[in-house]
Amino acid sequence: MRLVLVGPPGAGKGTQAQYIASNLSIPKISTGDIFRANVSGGTELGKLAKTYMDRGDLVPDEVTIAMVRDRLGEDDAQDGFLLDGFPRNVSQAEVLRDMLKEWGLVLNLVLELVVDDDEVVRRLAGRRTCSQCGRIWHVEFDDKRDDKCDACGGALFQRDDDKEDTVRHRLEVYQQQTAPLISHYAAEDILVGVDATGPVEEVTQRAMEAIRPFMG
C-alpha cells in the first residue's frame, strides 16, 4: 500500500500517520524525519541541505526530492509506505508519479484529513507550553484555568506560532499551496477525504475504513 497523507496544520497528521502506518505495517515517511536523518547522518544531501537551513533559506525542491528518492529506495519501503509532508505541490506530485512509474509502481491513495478552519484555530490557539519542561497543555481540552504546569509548576506561555493570527495565516498559506494538489489528486480519482474531528481513535477508524477499498 502506497499512500500520501495531506491535511492542514492542526489536523492531526503526525498522530494519524503513526497509527495508520502501524495498522498497515508500512513505514511512515515524513520529510522532517528524512531531513533530520540526513543531517545527523552527515550524508552529502544532508550537508547540502544544512547549508540552506543554516542560512534560514528553504531547502530547494531538488534536494528534498533526492532525499525522498533515497528513502523510498530503502528495503523497508519496498512493500509500501505512507508519505507525510511530501508532495507539497503539484510539481512535486508529478515528480513522485514519475519516480514510482520508473520503478513500475503507482500511488494507491491520497488521504485528506478534513477539518474546518475554526476547529484548527481552537486546537492550536488553545495550546500553552511549559517554559520549564516543554510539556504542552490545552486551555480547553485539559481544562487549564491557571498559567502553571501541572507536571513541574513551570510558567505556561503561548508560542508565537500558536497565536490565532499566525494560525489563520498558516491556514491561508496551506490553502494556497495545497488546494491545487487536492484538485490534482481528485482528478486522478485517488483522493479520499476523512473527517478529522473527534477522538483520535475514531479518526483512525474512519481512515482505515476509507483505505480498505484501495488495498490490493
Side-chain angles (χ1 to χ4, degrees):
M1 184 73 188
R2 290 171 292 278
L3 72 152
V4 166
L5 190 65
V6 296
K13 283 197 306 301
T15 302
Q16 289 305 325
Q18 200 72 51
Y19 283 119
I20 294 166
S22 177
N23 279 331
L24 294 172
S25 300
I26 55 176
K28 173 190 81 75
I29 299 174
S30 77
T31 45
D33 291 343
I34 294 173
F35 271 64
R36 282 187 289 275
N38 275 271
V39 172
S40 65
T43 68
E44 290 306 312
L45 286 170
K47 290 174 189 171
L48 183 57
K50 194 170 184 299
T51 62
Y52 290 96
M53 292 154 70
D54 287 348
R55 293 199 301 263
D57 294 335
L58 286 174
V59 178
D61 262 10
E62 58 265 27
V63 179
T64 304
I65 289 163
M67 287 185 181
V68 170
R69 174 185 277 276
D70 281 356
R71 181 64 186 89
L72 294 184
E74 291 181 19
D75 290 345
D76 67 335
Q78 298 315 295
D79 294 327
F81 54 78
L82 183 153
L83 273 172
D84 171 20
F86 184 91
R88 287 189 181 278
N89 51 50
V90 173
S91 63
Q92 287 186 355
E94 289 170 344
V95 168
L96 177 62
R97 179 197 60 210
D98 293 344
M99 195 187 297
L100 293 175
K101 188 177 179 182
E102 193 184 311
W103 297 332
L105 304 171
V106 293
L107 196 62
N108 301 113
L109 175 66
V110 176
L111 193 68
E112 180 190 10
L113 296 183
V114 181
V115 56
D116 68 42
D117 287 1
D118 288 341
E119 174 63 16
V120 169
V121 171
R122 176 172 163 254
R123 289 180 184 185
L124 298 186
R127 298 198 300 196
R128 298 294 182 269
T129 303
C130 176
S131 55
Q132 282 185 203
C133 70
R135 180 163 174 174
I136 294 172
W137 301 88
H138 198 281
V139 294
E140 186 178 340
F141 308 144
D142 293 313
D143 194 24
K144 283 303 295 172
R145 301 185 184 279
D146 59 20
D147 58 358
K148 298 290 181 191
C149 174
D150 290 357
C152 73
L156 301 182
F157 71 100
Q158 186 180 37
R159 290 182 356 183
D160 286 343
D161 57 352
D162 285 340
K163 289 177 178 171
E164 181 170 346
D165 288 351
T166 308
V167 172
R168 291 200 180 275
H169 176 67
R170 288 168 66 197
L171 285 167
E172 285 171 17
V173 171
Y174 173 79
Q175 287 302 331
Q176 289 163 8
Q177 290 181 348
T178 312
L181 183 66
I182 300 297
S183 303
H184 171 81
Y185 281 127
E188 290 194 357
D189 208 24
I190 56 169
L191 178 79
V192 174
V194 170
D195 178 8
T197 55
V200 168
E201 298 80 6
E202 285 182 18
V203 177
T204 306
Q205 191 175 345
R206 282 181 220 131
M208 293 308 298
E209 284 168 5
I211 289 167
R212 272 188 201 100
F214 292 83
M215 293 172 70

